Amino acid sequence: MEPERISWDEYFMAQAHLLALRSTCTRLSVGATIVRDKRIIAGGYNGSVSGDVHCIDEGCYVVDNHCVRTIHAEVNALLQCAKFGIPTHGAEIYVTHFPCLHCSKAIVQAGIKAVYYASDYKNDPYALELYQNAGVKLKRVEFNSLYIEREPEKKRATIHALKDKLIEKGVADEEIQRLLTDLFS
């Protein structure tokens, strides 16, 4: 019996979440992965213009409740495609959060055919209308944060503490091993 693998949607969404870990924005970390034919063609995260100061270093530069220093993850991914001559028409994008209106317009204009997002975030009604009018598929993808372990030492300590409690309660060694195997398979 083959081990169960995560789905393609989960895989590409995990990639977007990994990219978000590079974000230099202190308000919200966002990652985006552009995919064609089940292959990653670009990725981006929200952060400052190359060579400029970062929000994590000097704070956000907020105007009208928006950080004007930050380029959004979706736009950074699209710009990466432009920079290297990679066509986006017919591609799909995976984003950690629902794209803002400006990013939604760029996504539609770039010919992206599907937007997959993990979290609702100020979903703009006009963005929804634009996606619908352009025939862009929208899908919320559940994301299990266990796919990306940010605090492995904390996780290891918790597992050891649980294992000790199970031993203390008299749970058989074979049962503990089976539970651990199930947890990590």
Side-chain angles (χ1 to χ4, degrees), residues 2 6 60 75 77 80 101 118 127 160 175:
E2 278 189 42
I6 64 174
C60 290
V75 170
Q80 187 179 76
L101 177 58
H160 285 299
E175 179 66 9

Side-chain angles (χ1 to χ4, degrees), residues 152-171:
E153 293 305 319
K154 184 177 178 183
K155 182 179 180 180
R156 231 183 314 283
T158 302
I159 290 168
H160 285 299
L162 285 171
K163 185 177 175 184
D164 291 345
K165 289 277 185 198
L166 290 171
I167 291 169
E168 193 178 290
K169 297 286 183 186
V171 176

Side-chain angles (χ1 to χ4, degrees), residues 27-40:
R27 296 170 52 141
L28 182 68
S29 296
V30 179
T33 301
I34 300 178
V35 175
R36 182 184 304 105
D37 299 325
K38 303 279 186 263
R39 300 291 178 260
I40 296 170

